[in-house]
Coordinates of all heavy atoms in Angstrom, one line a residue:
M1 N 30.0 120.3 21.4 CA 30.7 120.0 22.6 C 29.9 120.0 24.0 O 30.1 119.2 24.8 CB 31.9 121.1 22.7 CG 32.9 120.8 23.7 SD 33.9 119.4 23.2 CE 35.2 119.4 24.3
E2 N 28.9 121.1 24.0 CA 28.2 121.1 25.2 C 27.2 120.0 25.3 O 26.9 119.5 26.4 CB 27.3 122.3 24.9 CG 26.6 122.8 26.1 CD 25.8 124.1 26.2 OE1 26.5 125.1 25.6 OE2 24.7 124.2 26.4
F3 N 26.7 119.4 24.1 CA 26.0 118.2 24.1 C 26.7 117.0 24.8 O 26.2 116.1 25.4 CB 25.5 118.0 22.7 CG 24.9 116.6 22.5 CD1 23.6 116.4 22.9 CD2 25.5 115.5 21.9 CE1 22.9 115.2 22.9 CE2 24.8 114.3 21.8 CZ 23.6 114.1 22.3
L4 N 28.0 117.0 24.3 CA 28.9 115.8 24.9 C 28.9 115.8 26.4 O 28.8 114.8 26.9 CB 30.2 115.9 24.2 CG 31.2 114.7 24.5 CD1 30.6 113.3 24.1 CD2 32.6 115.0 23.9
F5 N 29.3 117.0 26.9 CA 29.3 117.1 28.4 C 28.0 116.7 29.0 O 28.0 116.1 30.0 CB 29.8 118.7 28.8 CG 31.2 118.8 28.6 CD1 31.7 120.0 27.8 CD2 32.1 118.0 29.2 CE1 33.0 120.1 27.6 CE2 33.5 118.3 28.9 CZ 34.0 119.3 28.2
E6 N 26.8 117.3 28.5 CA 25.5 117.0 29.0 C 25.3 115.6 29.0 O 24.8 115.0 29.9 CB 24.6 117.8 28.1 CG 23.1 117.6 28.8 CD 22.1 118.4 28.1 OE1 22.5 119.5 27.4 OE2 20.9 118.1 28.0
L7 N 25.6 114.9 27.8 CA 25.4 113.4 27.8 C 26.2 112.6 28.8 O 25.7 111.7 29.5 CB 25.7 113.0 26.5 CG 25.4 111.6 26.0 CD1 24.1 111.2 26.2 CD2 26.0 111.1 24.7
I8 N 27.4 113.1 28.9 CA 28.4 112.2 29.8 C 27.9 112.4 31.2 O 27.7 111.5 32.1 CB 29.8 112.8 29.7 CG1 30.4 112.2 28.3 CG2 30.7 112.2 30.8 CD1 31.7 112.9 28.0
F9 N 27.5 113.8 31.7 CA 27.1 114.0 33.1 C 25.8 113.3 33.4 O 25.6 112.9 34.5 CB 27.2 115.5 33.4 CG 28.6 116.0 33.7 CD1 29.1 117.0 32.9 CD2 29.3 115.5 34.6 CE1 30.4 117.5 33.1 CE2 30.6 116.0 34.9 CZ 31.1 116.9 34.1
E10 N 24.9 113.5 32.4 CA 23.5 112.8 32.5 C 23.6 111.3 32.7 O 23.0 110.7 33.7 CB 22.7 113.1 31.4 CG 21.3 112.8 31.6 CD 20.3 113.4 30.5 OE1 20.5 114.5 30.2 OE2 19.3 112.7 30.1
I11 N 24.6 110.7 31.9 CA 24.7 109.1 32.1 C 25.4 108.8 33.4 O 24.9 108.1 34.2 CB 25.5 108.7 31.0 CG1 24.8 108.7 29.7 CG2 26.0 107.3 31.2 CD1 25.6 108.4 28.4
I12 N 26.3 109.6 33.8 CA 27.1 109.3 35.0 C 26.2 109.6 36.2 O 26.0 108.8 37.1 CB 28.3 110.1 35.2 CG1 29.4 109.5 34.2 CG2 29.0 110.0 36.5 CD1 30.6 110.4 33.9
L13 N 25.8 110.8 36.3 CA 24.8 111.1 37.5 C 23.6 110.4 37.7 O 23.2 110.0 38.8 CB 24.7 112.8 37.5 CG 25.9 113.6 37.7 CD1 25.6 115.1 37.8 CD2 26.6 113.2 39.1
E14 N 22.8 110.3 36.6 CA 21.5 109.7 36.6 C 21.7 108.2 36.8 O 21.0 107.5 37.4 CB 20.7 109.9 35.4 CG 20.3 111.5 35.1 CD 19.1 111.8 36.2 OE1 18.3 110.8 36.6 OE2 19.1 112.8 36.6
G15 N 22.7 107.7 36.2 CA 23.1 106.2 36.3 C 23.4 105.9 37.7 O 22.8 105.0 38.3
I16 N 24.4 106.6 38.3 CA 24.8 106.2 39.5 C 23.9 106.4 40.6 O 23.5 105.6 41.4 CB 26.2 106.9 39.8 CG1 27.2 106.3 38.9 CG2 26.5 106.9 41.2 CD1 28.6 107.2 39.0
F17 N 23.2 107.6 40.5 CA 22.3 108.0 41.6 C 20.9 107.2 41.4 O 20.4 106.8 42.4 CB 22.0 109.6 41.7 CG 23.0 110.3 42.2 CD1 23.8 111.2 41.5 CD2 23.3 110.2 43.5 CE1 24.9 112.0 42.1 CE2 24.2 110.9 44.2 CZ 25.0 111.7 43.4
G18 N 20.6 106.9 40.2 CA 19.4 106.1 39.9 C 19.5 104.8 40.4 O 18.6 104.1 41.0
L19 N 20.7 104.2 40.2 CA 21.0 102.7 40.8 C 21.3 102.6 42.2 O 21.2 101.5 42.8 CB 22.2 102.2 40.0 CG 22.0 101.9 38.5 CD1 23.2 101.5 37.8 CD2 20.8 101.0 38.2
T20 N 22.0 103.7 42.7 CA 22.2 103.5 44.2 C 21.4 104.4 45.1 O 20.8 103.7 45.9 CB 23.7 103.9 44.4 OG1 23.8 105.3 43.9 CG2 24.6 103.0 43.5
V21 N 21.4 105.7 45.1 CA 20.8 106.6 46.0 C 19.3 106.5 46.0 O 18.6 106.4 47.0 CB 21.3 108.1 45.8 CG1 20.6 108.9 46.7 CG2 22.7 108.2 45.9
E22 N 18.7 106.3 44.9 CA 17.2 106.2 44.9 C 16.8 104.8 44.8 O 15.6 104.6 45.0 CB 16.7 106.9 43.6 CG 17.0 108.3 43.5 CD 16.6 109.1 42.2 OE1 16.2 108.2 41.3 OE2 16.8 110.1 42.1
N23 N 17.7 103.9 44.9 CA 17.4 102.4 45.0 C 17.1 101.9 46.5 O 18.2 101.9 47.2 CB 18.4 101.6 44.3 CG 18.0 100.0 44.2 OD1 17.0 99.7 44.7 ND2 18.9 99.3 43.5
P24 N 15.9 101.5 46.7 CA 15.7 101.2 48.2 C 16.5 99.8 48.6 O 16.7 99.6 49.8 CB 14.3 101.1 48.3 CG 13.8 100.8 46.9 CD 14.6 101.4 46.1
K25 N 16.8 99.0 47.6 CA 17.5 97.8 48.0 C 19.0 97.9 48.1 O 19.7 97.0 48.7 CB 17.4 96.7 46.8 CG 15.7 96.4 46.8 CD 15.7 95.4 45.6 CE 14.3 95.0 45.5 NZ 14.0 94.1 44.4
A26 N 19.6 99.1 47.8 CA 20.9 99.2 48.0 C 21.4 99.6 49.4 O 20.6 100.2 50.2 CB 21.7 100.4 47.1
K27 N 22.5 99.0 49.7 CA 22.9 99.2 51.3 C 23.3 100.7 51.5 O 23.8 101.3 50.7 CB 24.2 98.4 51.6 CG 23.9 96.9 51.2 CD 23.7 96.2 52.5 CE 23.5 94.7 52.3 NZ 22.4 94.2 53.1
T28 N 23.1 101.2 52.6 CA 23.4 102.5 53.1 C 24.9 102.8 52.8 O 25.3 104.0 52.4 CB 22.9 102.7 54.5 OG1 21.6 102.3 54.7 CG2 23.3 104.2 54.8
W29 N 25.8 101.9 53.2 CA 27.1 102.3 53.1 C 27.6 102.4 51.6 O 28.6 103.1 51.4 CB 28.0 101.1 53.9 CG 28.0 99.9 53.3 CD1 27.3 98.8 53.6 CD2 28.9 99.3 52.4 NE1 27.5 97.6 53.0 CE2 28.5 97.9 52.2 CE3 30.0 99.8 51.6 CZ2 29.1 97.1 51.3 CZ3 30.6 98.9 50.8 CH2 30.3 97.6 50.5
V30 N 27.0 101.6 50.7 CA 27.3 101.7 49.4 C 27.0 103.0 48.8 O 27.7 103.7 48.1 CB 26.6 100.6 48.4 CG1 26.8 100.9 47.1 CG2 27.1 99.2 49.0
K31 N 25.8 103.5 49.2 CA 25.3 104.8 48.8 C 26.3 106.0 49.4 O 26.6 107.0 48.7 CB 23.9 105.1 49.4 CG 23.0 104.2 48.7 CD 21.5 104.5 49.4 CE 20.5 103.5 49.1 NZ 19.2 103.7 49.6
T32 N 26.6 105.9 50.6 CA 27.6 106.8 51.2 C 28.9 106.8 50.5 O 29.5 107.8 50.2 CB 27.7 106.5 52.7 OG1 26.3 106.5 53.3 CG2 28.7 107.5 53.3
M33 N 29.4 105.6 50.2 CA 30.8 105.5 49.6 C 30.7 106.1 48.1 O 31.7 107.0 47.8 CB 31.2 104.1 49.6 CG 31.6 103.5 50.8 SD 32.9 104.5 51.7 CE 34.3 104.3 50.5
I34 N 29.7 105.9 47.4 CA 29.6 106.5 46.0 C 29.5 107.9 46.0 O 30.2 108.8 45.3 CB 28.5 105.7 45.3 CG1 28.7 104.4 44.9 CG2 28.2 106.6 44.0 CD1 27.8 103.6 44.3
V35 N 28.7 108.6 46.9 CA 28.5 110.0 47.1 C 29.8 110.6 47.6 O 30.3 111.6 47.1 CB 27.4 110.3 48.0 CG1 27.3 111.8 48.3 CG2 26.1 109.9 47.3
S36 N 30.6 109.8 48.5 CA 31.9 110.3 49.0 C 32.9 110.4 47.8 O 33.6 111.3 47.8 CB 32.2 109.5 50.2 OG 31.4 109.5 51.2
L37 N 32.9 109.4 47.1 CA 33.8 109.4 46.0 C 33.5 110.4 45.0 O 34.6 111.1 44.5 CB 33.8 108.0 45.4 CG 34.5 106.9 46.1 CD1 34.3 105.4 45.5 CD2 36.0 107.0 46.4
L38 N 32.3 110.6 44.6 CA 31.9 111.7 43.6 C 32.4 113.1 44.2 O 32.9 113.8 43.5 CB 30.5 111.6 43.3 CG 30.1 110.4 42.3 CD1 28.6 110.4 42.2 CD2 30.7 110.4 41.1
L39 N 32.1 113.3 45.5 CA 32.4 114.4 46.1 C 33.9 114.7 46.3 O 34.5 115.8 46.0 CB 31.9 114.7 47.5 CG 32.1 115.9 48.3 CD1 31.4 117.0 47.5 CD2 31.7 115.8 49.7
G40 N 34.7 113.6 46.4 CA 36.1 113.7 46.4 C 36.7 114.0 45.1 O 37.7 114.8 44.9
V41 N 36.1 113.5 44.1 CA 36.5 113.8 42.7 C 36.3 115.3 42.4 O 37.2 116.1 41.8 CB 35.9 113.0 41.6 CG1 36.0 113.5 40.2 CG2 36.3 111.5 41.7
L42 N 35.1 115.8 42.8 CA 34.9 117.3 42.6 C 35.8 118.2 43.4 O 36.3 119.1 42.9 CB 33.3 117.6 43.0 CG 32.3 117.3 42.0 CD1 31.0 117.6 42.6 CD2 32.5 118.1 40.8
L43 N 36.1 117.8 44.6 CA 36.9 118.5 45.5 C 38.3 118.5 45.0 O 39.2 119.5 45.0 CB 37.0 118.0 46.9 CG 35.8 118.3 47.8 CD1 35.9 117.6 49.1 CD2 35.6 119.6 47.9
A44 N 38.8 117.4 44.3 CA 40.1 117.4 43.8 C 40.1 118.2 42.6 O 41.2 119.0 42.3 CB 40.5 115.9 43.3
L45 N 39.2 118.3 41.8 CA 39.2 119.3 40.6 C 39.2 120.7 40.9 O 39.9 121.3 40.5 CB 37.8 118.8 39.8 CG 37.6 120.0 38.6 CD1 38.5 119.7 37.5 CD2 36.2 119.6 38.1
F46 N 38.4 121.0 42.1 CA 38.4 122.5 42.5 C 39.8 122.8 43.1 O 40.1 123.9 42.9 CB 37.2 122.7 43.4 CG 35.8 122.5 42.7 CD1 34.8 122.0 43.4 CD2 35.6 122.8 41.5 CE1 33.6 121.8 42.8 CE2 34.5 122.7 40.7 CZ 33.4 122.2 41.4
G47 N 40.3 122.0 43.9 CA 41.7 122.1 44.5 C 42.6 122.4 43.4 O 43.5 123.2 43.6
F48 N 42.7 121.5 42.4 CA 43.6 121.6 41.3 C 43.4 123.0 40.5 O 44.4 123.6 40.2 CB 43.4 120.3 40.3 CG 44.3 120.4 39.2 CD1 45.7 120.2 39.5 CD2 44.1 120.6 37.9 CE1 46.7 120.1 38.5 CE2 45.0 120.7 36.8 CZ 46.3 120.4 37.2
L49 N 42.1 123.4 40.4 CA 42.0 124.7 39.8 C 42.6 125.8 40.6 O 43.1 126.8 40.1 CB 40.4 124.9 39.6 CG 39.7 124.3 38.4 CD1 38.2 124.5 38.4 CD2 40.4 124.6 37.2
A50 N 42.3 125.8 42.0 CA 42.9 126.7 42.8 C 44.3 126.6 42.8 O 45.1 127.7 42.7 CB 42.5 126.5 44.3
Y51 N 45.0 125.5 42.7 CA 46.4 125.4 42.6 C 47.1 126.0 41.4 O 47.9 126.7 41.3 CB 46.8 123.8 42.6 CG 48.3 123.5 42.6 CD1 49.2 123.9 43.6 CD2 48.8 123.0 41.4 CE1 50.6 123.6 43.4 CE2 50.1 122.8 41.1 CZ 51.0 123.1 42.2 OH 52.3 122.8 42.1
I52 N 46.3 125.5 40.3 CA 46.7 126.1 38.9 C 46.7 127.7 39.1 O 47.6 128.4 38.5 CB 46.0 125.6 37.8 CG1 46.3 124.2 37.5 CG2 46.2 126.5 36.5 CD1 45.5 123.6 36.6
G53 N 45.6 128.3 39.5 CA 45.4 129.6 39.7 C 46.5 130.3 40.5 O 47.1 131.5 40.3
L54 N 47.1 129.8 41.6 CA 47.9 130.2 42.3 C 49.3 130.1 41.9 O 50.1 131.1 41.9 CB 48.0 129.3 43.7 CG 48.8 129.8 44.9 CD1 48.5 131.3 45.3 CD2 48.9 128.8 46.0
K55 N 49.6 129.0 41.2 CA 50.9 128.9 40.5 C 51.1 129.9 39.4 O 52.2 130.3 39.0 CB 51.2 127.5 39.9 CG 51.5 126.5 41.1 CD 52.7 126.9 41.9 CE 53.6 125.7 42.0 NZ 54.8 126.1 42.7
G56 N 50.1 130.2 38.6 CA 50.0 131.0 37.4 C 49.7 132.5 37.8 O 49.5 133.3 36.8
S57 N 49.6 132.8 38.9 CA 49.3 134.1 39.4 C 47.9 134.5 38.8 O 47.8 135.8 38.6 CB 50.3 135.0 39.1 OG 51.6 134.7 39.9
D58 N 47.0 133.7 38.6 CA 45.7 134.0 38.2 C 44.7 133.9 39.3 O 44.3 133.0 39.7 CB 45.2 133.0 37.1 CG 43.9 133.4 36.5 OD1 43.4 134.5 36.9 OD2 43.4 132.5 35.6
W59 N 44.5 135.2 40.0 CA 43.9 135.2 41.3 C 42.4 134.9 41.1 O 41.8 134.5 42.1 CB 44.1 136.6 41.8 CG 45.5 136.8 42.2 CD1 46.6 137.5 41.6 CD2 46.2 136.0 43.3 NE1 47.7 137.3 42.2 CE2 47.5 136.5 43.1 CE3 45.8 135.2 44.2 CZ2 48.5 136.0 44.1 CZ3 46.7 134.7 45.1 CH2 48.1 135.1 45.0
F60 N 41.8 135.3 39.9 CA 40.4 134.9 39.7 C 40.2 133.4 39.7 O 39.3 132.9 40.4 CB 39.9 135.5 38.5 CG 38.4 135.2 38.0 CD1 37.4 135.8 38.8 CD2 38.2 134.3 37.2 CE1 36.1 135.5 38.6 CE2 36.9 133.9 37.0 CZ 35.8 134.5 37.7
L61 N 41.1 132.7 39.0 CA 41.0 131.3 39.0 C 41.2 130.7 40.3 O 40.5 129.7 40.9 CB 41.8 130.6 38.0 CG 41.8 129.2 37.7 CD1 40.4 128.8 37.2 CD2 42.8 128.7 36.8
F62 N 42.2 131.1 41.1 CA 42.5 130.8 42.4 C 41.1 131.0 43.3 O 40.9 130.1 44.1 CB 43.6 131.5 43.0 CG 43.9 131.2 44.4 CD1 44.4 130.0 44.9 CD2 43.7 132.2 45.3 CE1 44.6 129.7 46.2 CE2 43.8 132.0 46.7 CZ 44.2 130.8 47.2
G63 N 40.6 132.2 43.2 CA 39.5 132.5 44.1 C 38.4 131.6 43.8 O 37.7 131.1 44.7
V64 N 38.1 131.4 42.5 CA 36.9 130.5 42.1 C 37.1 129.0 42.6 O 36.2 128.5 43.2 CB 36.6 130.6 40.6 CG1 35.6 129.5 40.2 CG2 36.2 131.9 40.2
G65 N 38.3 128.6 42.4 CA 38.6 127.2 42.8 C 38.6 127.0 44.2 O 38.1 126.0 44.8
A66 N 39.1 128.1 45.0 CA 39.1 127.9 46.5 C 37.8 128.0 47.1 O 37.4 127.3 48.0 CB 40.1 129.1 47.1
I67 N 37.0 128.8 46.5 CA 35.5 129.2 47.0 C 34.8 127.9 46.7 O 34.0 127.3 47.7 CB 34.9 130.3 46.5 CG1 35.6 131.6 47.0 CG2 33.4 130.3 46.6 CD1 35.1 132.9 46.3
L68 N 34.9 127.3 45.6 CA 34.1 126.1 45.3 C 34.6 124.9 46.2 O 33.8 124.1 46.6 CB 34.3 125.7 43.7 CG 33.4 126.7 43.0 CD1 33.7 126.3 41.5 CD2 32.0 126.6 43.1
F69 N 35.9 124.8 46.3 CA 36.5 123.8 47.2 C 36.0 123.9 48.6 O 35.5 122.8 49.2 CB 38.1 123.9 47.1 CG 38.7 122.9 48.0 CD1 38.9 121.6 47.5 CD2 39.1 123.2 49.2 CE1 39.6 120.7 48.3 CE2 39.7 122.3 50.1 CZ 40.0 121.0 49.6
L70 N 35.9 124.9 49.1 CA 35.5 125.3 50.5 C 34.0 125.1 50.7 O 33.5 124.5 51.6 CB 35.9 126.6 50.9 CG 37.4 126.8 51.2 CD1 37.6 128.3 51.6 CD2 37.9 126.1 52.3
A71 N 33.2 125.4 49.6 CA 31.7 125.3 49.6 C 31.4 123.8 49.5 O 30.5 123.4 50.3 CB 31.2 126.1 48.5
F72 N 32.0 123.1 48.6 CA 31.5 121.7 48.4 C 32.0 120.8 49.5 O 31.5 119.9 49.9 CB 32.0 121.2 47.1 CG 31.0 121.5 46.0 CD1 31.0 122.6 45.2 CD2 30.2 120.6 45.6 CE1 30.3 122.9 44.2 CE2 29.2 120.8 44.6 CZ 29.4 122.1 44.0
G73 N 33.3 121.2 50.0 CA 33.7 120.5 51.2 C 32.9 120.7 52.5 O 32.5 119.7 53.1
A74 N 32.4 121.9 52.7 CA 31.6 122.2 53.8 C 30.2 121.5 53.7 O 29.5 120.8 54.6 CB 31.3 123.6 54.0
L75 N 29.7 121.5 52.4 CA 28.4 120.8 52.1 C 28.6 119.2 52.2 O 27.7 118.5 52.9 CB 28.1 121.0 50.6 CG 26.8 120.4 50.2 CD1 25.7 121.0 50.7 CD2 26.6 120.4 48.6
G76 N 29.7 118.7 51.9 CA 29.9 117.3 52.1 C 30.1 116.8 53.6 O 29.4 115.9 53.9
V77 N 30.7 117.7 54.3 CA 30.9 117.4 55.7 C 29.5 117.5 56.5 O 29.2 116.7 57.4 CB 31.9 118.4 56.4 CG1 31.8 118.5 58.0 CG2 33.3 118.1 55.9
W78 N 28.6 118.3 56.0 CA 27.3 118.4 56.7 C 26.5 117.4 56.1 O 25.7 116.7 56.8 CB 26.8 119.8 56.3 CG 25.3 120.0 56.9 CD1 24.9 120.1 58.1 CD2 24.2 120.0 55.9 NE1 23.5 120.2 58.2 CE2 23.1 120.2 56.8 CE3 24.0 120.0 54.7 CZ2 21.8 120.2 56.4 CZ3 22.7 120.0 54.2 CH2 21.5 120.1 55.1
L79 N 26.4 117.2 54.7 CA 25.4 116.3 54.1 C 25.5 114.8 54.3 O 24.5 114.2 54.5 CB 25.3 116.7 52.6 CG 24.3 116.0 51.9 CD1 22.8 116.5 52.1 CD2 24.5 116.2 50.4
I80 N 26.8 114.5 54.1 CA 27.0 113.0 53.9 C 26.6 112.3 55.3 O 25.9 111.3 55.2 CB 28.4 112.7 53.5 CG1 28.6 113.0 51.9 CG2 28.8 111.2 53.6 CD1 30.0 113.0 51.4
P81 N 27.2 112.6 56.6 CA 26.7 112.1 57.6 C 25.2 112.0 57.9 O 24.7 111.1 58.6 CB 27.5 112.7 58.7 CG 28.6 113.4 58.0 CD 28.2 113.7 56.7
R82 N 24.6 113.3 57.6 CA 23.3 113.4 57.9 C 22.5 112.5 57.0 O 21.5 111.8 57.5 CB 22.8 114.8 57.5 CG 21.3 115.2 57.8 CD 21.2 116.7 57.5 NE 19.8 117.1 57.8 CZ 18.9 117.4 56.8 NH1 19.5 117.5 55.6 NH2 17.8 117.7 57.1
R83 N 22.8 112.4 55.7 CA 22.0 111.5 54.8 C 22.3 110.1 55.2 O 21.4 109.2 55.0 CB 22.4 111.8 53.3 CG 21.7 113.0 52.9 CD 20.2 112.9 53.0 NE 19.6 114.1 52.5 CZ 18.4 114.4 52.6 NH1 17.5 113.5 52.9 NH2 17.9 115.5 52.2
H84 N 23.4 109.7 55.5 CA 23.8 108.3 55.9 C 22.9 107.8 57.1 O 22.4 106.7 57.2 CB 25.3 108.2 56.3 CG 25.8 106.8 56.6 ND1 25.9 105.8 55.7 CD2 26.0 106.2 57.8 CE1 26.2 104.7 56.3 NE2 26.3 105.0 57.7
K85 N 22.8 108.8 58.2 CA 22.0 108.5 59.3 C 20.6 108.2 59.0 O 19.9 107.4 59.5 CB 22.2 109.7 60.3 CG 21.4 109.5 61.6 CD 21.5 110.7 62.5 CE 20.5 110.7 63.5 NZ 20.4 112.0 64.2
D86 N 20.2 109.1 58.0 CA 18.7 108.9 57.6 C 18.5 107.9 56.5 O 17.4 107.6 55.9 CB 18.2 110.3 56.9 CG 18.2 111.4 58.0 OD1 18.1 111.0 59.2 OD2 18.0 112.6 57.6
N87 N 19.5 107.0 56.2 CA 19.5 105.9 55.3 C 19.1 106.4 53.8 O 18.5 105.9 53.0 CB 18.5 104.8 55.6 CG 18.8 103.6 54.8 OD1 19.7 103.4 54.3 ND2 17.8 102.7 55.0
W88 N 19.6 107.8 53.6 CA 19.5 108.3 52.1 C 18.0 108.3 51.9 O 17.8 108.3 50.6 CB 20.3 107.7 51.2 CG 21.8 107.9 51.4 CD1 22.5 106.9 52.1 CD2 22.6 108.9 51.2 NE1 23.8 107.5 52.2 CE2 23.9 108.6 51.6 CE3 22.5 110.1 50.4 CZ2 25.0 109.5 51.4 CZ3 23.4 110.9 50.2 CH2 24.7 110.8 50.7
K89 N 17.1 108.6 52.7 CA 15.6 108.8 52.3 C 15.4 110.1 51.7 O 16.0 111.1 52.3 CB 14.8 108.5 53.5 CG 14.8 107.1 54.0 CD 14.0 106.8 55.1 CE 14.1 105.3 55.6 NZ 13.8 105.1 56.9
Q90 N 14.5 110.3 50.7 CA 14.2 111.5 50.1 C 13.2 112.3 51.1 O 12.3 111.6 51.6 CB 13.6 111.3 48.8 CG 14.5 110.6 47.9 CD 15.8 111.5 47.5 OE1 15.7 112.7 47.4 NE2 16.9 110.7 47.4
D91 N 13.3 113.5 51.2 CA 12.2 114.2 51.9 C 11.0 114.3 51.2 O 10.9 114.6 49.9 CB 12.8 115.7 52.1 CG 13.9 115.8 53.0 OD1 14.0 114.9 53.9 OD2 14.9 116.7 52.9
E92 N 9.9 113.9 51.9 CA 8.5 113.8 51.2 C 7.7 115.0 51.4 O 6.5 115.1 51.3 CB 7.8 112.7 51.9 CG 8.5 111.3 51.6 CD 8.4 110.7 50.3 OE1 7.4 111.1 49.6 OE2 9.3 110.1 49.8
E93 N 8.4 116.2 51.9 CA 7.5 117.4 52.1 C 7.0 118.1 50.9 O 6.0 118.8 51.1 CB 8.5 118.4 52.9 CG 8.9 117.8 54.4 CD 9.9 118.6 55.0 OE1 10.2 119.8 54.4 OE2 10.4 118.3 55.9
S94 N 7.6 118.0 49.8 CA 7.1 118.8 48.7 C 6.1 118.1 47.8 O 5.7 117.1 48.1 CB 8.3 119.1 47.9 OG 9.1 118.0 47.4

């Protein structure tokens, strides 16, 4: 089961990011939209986990879902406009 999740996420993430974000020929708005959609899916998942935890009085699940929702939301609000402005260029410092 773990192998299946790893395979799916590797195909999705490596495929999408390899074809778009790391591709210099792809348009900036396409890269931004794909990252925004993936972040939206993650936020929906974490929000749903928080909702399930709240409805079922499972405070741990609610806390984990809410913290992840807020963390990824803040990361997206900070990261997406910054990277869009920089045309999704990779930092060459390392």
Side-chain angles (χ1 to χ4, degrees):
M1 190 71 167
E2 192 173 313
F3 172 73
L4 182 62
F5 284 126
E6 184 178 334
L7 180 66
I8 290 171
F9 284 119
E10 190 169 323
I11 288 172
I12 291 173
L13 292 178
E14 290 292 325
I16 289 174
F17 283 111
L19 292 176
T20 58
V21 174
E22 296 175 359
N23 186 357
K25 294 181 182 179
K27 302 261 186 223
T28 303
W29 66 270
V30 173
K31 297 174 187 180
T32 303
M33 289 304 298
I34 288 175
V35 172
S36 297
L37 288 173
L38 288 175
L39 183 66
V41 168
L42 278 176
L43 289 175
L45 175 69
F46 296 144
F48 185 67
L49 284 177
Y51 175 75
I52 289 174
L54 186 62
K55 285 302 230 183
S57 297
D58 185 1
W59 294 107
F60 179 75
L61 184 62
F62 170 73
V64 168
I67 289 171
L68 288 173
F69 179 82
L70 292 173
F72 276 87
L75 180 71
V77 166
W78 175 74
L79 180 73
I80 291 174
R82 182 172 178 253
R83 288 295 179 186
H84 179 79
K85 180 182 164 195
D86 295 340
N87 198 16
W88 294 94
K89 292 182 182 154
Q90 301 293 323
D91 293 333
E92 301 287 332
E93 296 174 6
S94 48

